Amino acid sequence: MKRTLLFLLLLLIGSSKLRSQEELTLNDCVKYAIENNRTLQKSKVDQEKSIESQRELLGALLPQINGSGAISYNFDKNTVVMPNFMNSMLPPNLQDPNADKYMTVPMGMNNAANIGGSLVQQVVNFSLFNALKISKTAQSMADISVDISTEDVISQTATFYYNVQVLEYGLKQFDRSSALMDSTLKIMTANKDNGTIRQVDFDRIKVARTNLISQKIGFNQAVSVQKNLLKLTMGYDVNNDIPITSLDISSLERLIYPFNLDIFQPKDLPTLKLMNQRMKMSELQIRSAKFELLPSLTFVGNYSYYFMGDDFYTGPTFHKYPMSMVSLSLKIPIFTGFTTDAKIKKAKMDLSKTVYDQAQLEQSLHMAHSNAVMQLESNKKTIEFQKDNMKLAEDVYAITERNFNIGISSLSDVLNASSELIKAQISYVEALHNYVQSYIDLKKNDGTIREILN
């Protein structure tokens, strides 16, 4: 039994390690980021907060019911001083000429208590009604902000993901160059031993190989940096490795997008929707300031029951009686010292600014989309050019190396061909990176970044 449990435990540990080493696709990373990105989580909290704010204002429109109660014991009763009318009410022959002008009368009883309730209902309050509309608009803005934050997270995750893929692909190109140079170095070692080449020429090829290794180290560091940025965006533990799938060049180069400016619809973009809600909010702020000049009507109702007695609520001195009241309270603003007028003018100025912001945003969205389309087209052509250039550099290097081995080409020719091959490989990797970045930018600018998961 113990052996069986131990075997199952080892099997579970082994399977968990296998799962932890599974390569993550872009879809996996984006889904993880949507669930764990800190900025997006804060946006969702703001969204929930706006819902509660709306409920708070809605509650102010509902009846406000409160209950109250109190119990007290009077160690010293309240004393009232009043004219001594008792002496003046007696017949003149019975009045005391030396009596005090004032008399004191103790009020209340030793024990007192009350219990009751009150109801307050807003009957007419235009400012409060408008505030409810403002809270609904704020909730819509919070919902749109979550959509914007989600698209930002998708865009950032995809950017860093592709950056890692492209840089790791570049490392493989360095490995190819290193293999070619190692092959050349092996042949030159044999030639050096035979005295065919000089030591200085052999050292030159070693220096070129060292430079290649240094460049590869720089690429390795760049991969680590981009992986850390990817982890940060995803909310992933930075201490854990994050293996991702290798770059598929054929699928990357086949990324197709309909380059048609006529189908661009900025009105459907979350950023423009958010601006429209800001416009609506500015209009509601104007109405809110105007509503401060309108009257408000409030209904109030109270019902209480009082108890009192010298004994503890028993005996012949114990009394109890109810008290109830209903009222309508009307408030009519007459003069506010020009405060409301200033609020209205300020709200109108804010609306004018929002109109200008909306026009500028629409222009910038069209410009960004146009630039992104042109950049993507340009980068796609650059990829094709750099791919052919890299293939040509590989052929030149192979021919130069072969000619060097048979004594036709010089060592300088080999080093120059090697340097050009490395430059061509780096240029191709940079072209891939620029193409992917422009592709992501375009998808984000036209509001289709979520399609990248498909």
Side-chain angles (χ1 to χ4, degrees):
M1 183 64 179
K2 292 183 178 179
R3 291 182 178 180
T4 303
L5 291 175
L6 179 61
F7 174 77
L8 291 175
L9 179 61
L10 292 174
L11 183 62
L12 288 172
I13 294 175
S15 62
S16 64
K17 288 183 177 180
L18 288 175
R19 285 194 297 270
S20 63
Q21 294 301 318
E22 289 180 358
E23 293 182 340
L24 299 178
T25 64
L26 175 59
N27 208 336
D28 296 331
C29 291
V30 169
K31 288 181 178 179
Y32 190 95
I34 291 176
E35 292 295 327
N36 298 278
N37 181 269
R38 302 295 185 265
T39 303
L40 183 54
Q41 288 175 336
K42 288 170 58 180
S43 296
K44 291 179 179 179
V45 171
D46 290 336
Q47 183 183 31
E48 296 174 358
K49 185 178 178 181
S50 66
I51 295 175
E52 297 305 320
S53 297
Q54 183 177 350
R55 291 180 63 243
E56 181 182 1
L57 282 172
L58 181 61
L61 293 174
L62 299 176
Q64 306 297 305
I65 302 174
N66 295 295
S68 62
I71 184 171
S72 62
Y73 177 79
N74 299 316
F75 291 97
D76 295 310
K77 299 177 183 178
N78 187 27
T79 301
V80 177
V81 180
M82 62 181 65
N84 193 351
F85 62 88
M86 297 296 295
N87 187 53
S88 60
M89 291 176 62
L90 295 174
N93 59 339
L94 296 178
Q95 292 181 3
D96 183 3
N98 298 320
D100 294 333
K101 185 178 180 181
Y102 295 94
M103 59 181 290
T104 58
V105 180
M107 304 294 290
M109 294 183 173
N110 293 334
N111 299 282
N114 68 81
I115 185 171
S118 65
L119 181 146
V120 179
Q121 173 64 57
Q122 299 288 339
V123 181
V124 178
N125 191 326
F126 294 100
S127 295
L128 191 56
F129 298 154
N130 190 66
L132 183 59
K133 293 182 180 180
I134 291 177
S135 68
K136 291 181 179 179
T137 304
Q139 182 181 346
S140 299
M141 294 177 67
D143 295 339
I144 297 173
S145 296
V146 170
D147 290 338
I148 294 176
S149 297
T150 301
E151 292 189 356
D152 288 341
V153 168
I154 295 174
S155 174
Q156 293 171 4
T157 303
T159 297
F160 295 134
Y161 185 90
Y162 280 127
N163 285 349
V164 173
Q165 281 191 326
V166 170
L167 288 172
E168 288 184 340
Y169 175 81
L171 286 175
K172 293 179 181 179
Q173 301 307 309
F174 275 111
D175 290 338
R176 291 178 57 193
S177 298
S178 297
L180 290 173
M181 194 164 291
D182 288 342
S183 176
T184 302
L185 191 61
K186 183 177 180 181
I187 296 174
M188 293 188 68
T189 301
N191 293 335
K192 181 178 73 69
D193 295 338
N194 296 331
T196 307
I197 64 171
R198 299 173 301 171
Q199 179 66 38
V200 64
D201 295 330
F202 180 76
D203 292 340
R204 289 177 64 190
I205 195 69
K206 288 182 66 177
V207 169
R209 185 178 182 279
T210 301
N211 291 335
L212 181 65
I213 294 175
S214 298
Q215 289 178 305
K216 182 179 179 181
I217 292 174
F219 261 64
N220 269 317
Q221 292 176 344
V223 169
S224 299
V225 171
Q226 293 300 313
K227 278 192 173 183
N228 286 336
L229 291 173
L230 176 62
K231 294 175 186 177
L232 181 63
T233 301
M234 292 172 56
Y236 197 84
D237 189 350
V238 294
N239 295 318
N240 293 336
D241 186 29
I242 180 170
I244 65 174
T245 58
S246 300
L247 179 65
D248 186 354
I249 294 296
S250 59
S251 64
L252 185 63
E253 294 178 346
R254 286 197 303 269
L255 287 177
I256 300 175
Y257 193 84
F259 307 129
N260 188 353
L261 289 173
D262 296 334
I263 65 173
F264 180 56
Q265 299 292 337
K267 65 179 181 179
D268 298 328
L269 297 179
T271 51
L272 197 55
K273 290 180 179 179
L274 184 62
M275 182 61 69
N276 292 334
Q277 291 299 316
R278 280 184 55 191
M279 183 84 69
K280 184 178 179 180
M281 181 70 77
S282 298
E283 294 172 350
L284 290 173
Q285 293 293 349
I286 295 176
R287 294 176 59 184
S288 179
K290 290 181 178 180
F291 284 161
E292 292 183 7
L293 299 173
L294 299 180
S296 61
L297 185 64
T298 306
F299 171 81
V300 179
N302 284 305
Y303 182 84
S304 301
Y305 217 91
Y306 289 85
F307 308 87
M308 60 182 60
D310 287 332
D311 297 324
F312 192 70
Y313 307 108
T314 59
T317 62
F318 177 61
H319 298 276
K320 57 182 179 179
Y321 58 91
M323 187 184 75
S324 59
M325 177 271 293
V326 292
S327 68
L328 282 175
S329 176
L330 178 64
K331 178 183 177 182
I332 303 176
I334 297 176
F335 180 68
T336 61
F338 306 109
T339 301
T340 305
D341 181 67
K343 286 183 179 179
I344 294 174
K345 290 181 178 179
K346 286 173 59 180
K348 288 182 177 179
M349 293 176 186
D350 290 336
L351 177 60
S352 298
K353 289 174 59 178
T354 305
V355 172
Y356 296 142
D357 289 341
Q358 185 181 42
Q360 184 177 8
L361 177 61
E362 289 180 353
Q363 288 182 338
S364 62
L365 289 173
H366 280 286
M367 182 191 67
H369 181 264
S370 177
N371 291 342
V373 170
M374 290 187 293
Q375 190 68 33
L376 185 63
E377 291 176 330
S378 174
N379 288 332
K380 188 169 182 61
K381 294 178 181 178
T382 302
I383 280 184
E384 297 171 355
F385 172 77
Q386 291 296 342
K387 184 178 181 180
D388 294 339
N389 187 55
M390 184 176 66
K391 181 65 171 61
L392 179 61
E394 290 176 351
D395 294 340
V396 169
Y397 180 83
I399 294 173
T400 304
E401 181 191 29
R402 186 165 55 251
N403 290 340
F404 175 77
N405 293 331
I406 61 178
I408 298 177
S409 298
S410 65
L411 178 61
S412 297
D413 294 333
V414 175
L415 293 178
N416 291 335
S418 173
S419 176
E420 293 301 322
L421 173 59
I422 296 172
K423 290 179 181 179
Q425 290 171 340
I426 294 177
S427 297
Y428 180 62
V429 172
E430 290 178 349
L432 287 175
H433 173 268
N434 294 335
Y435 177 71
V436 170
Q437 187 61 58
S438 59
Y439 176 76
I440 294 174
D441 290 342
L442 181 58
K443 301 292 285 183
K444 183 181 179 182
N445 288 336
D446 66 4
T448 59
I449 188 65
R450 296 174 189 265
E451 295 178 359
I452 202 170
L453 302 179
N454 300 326

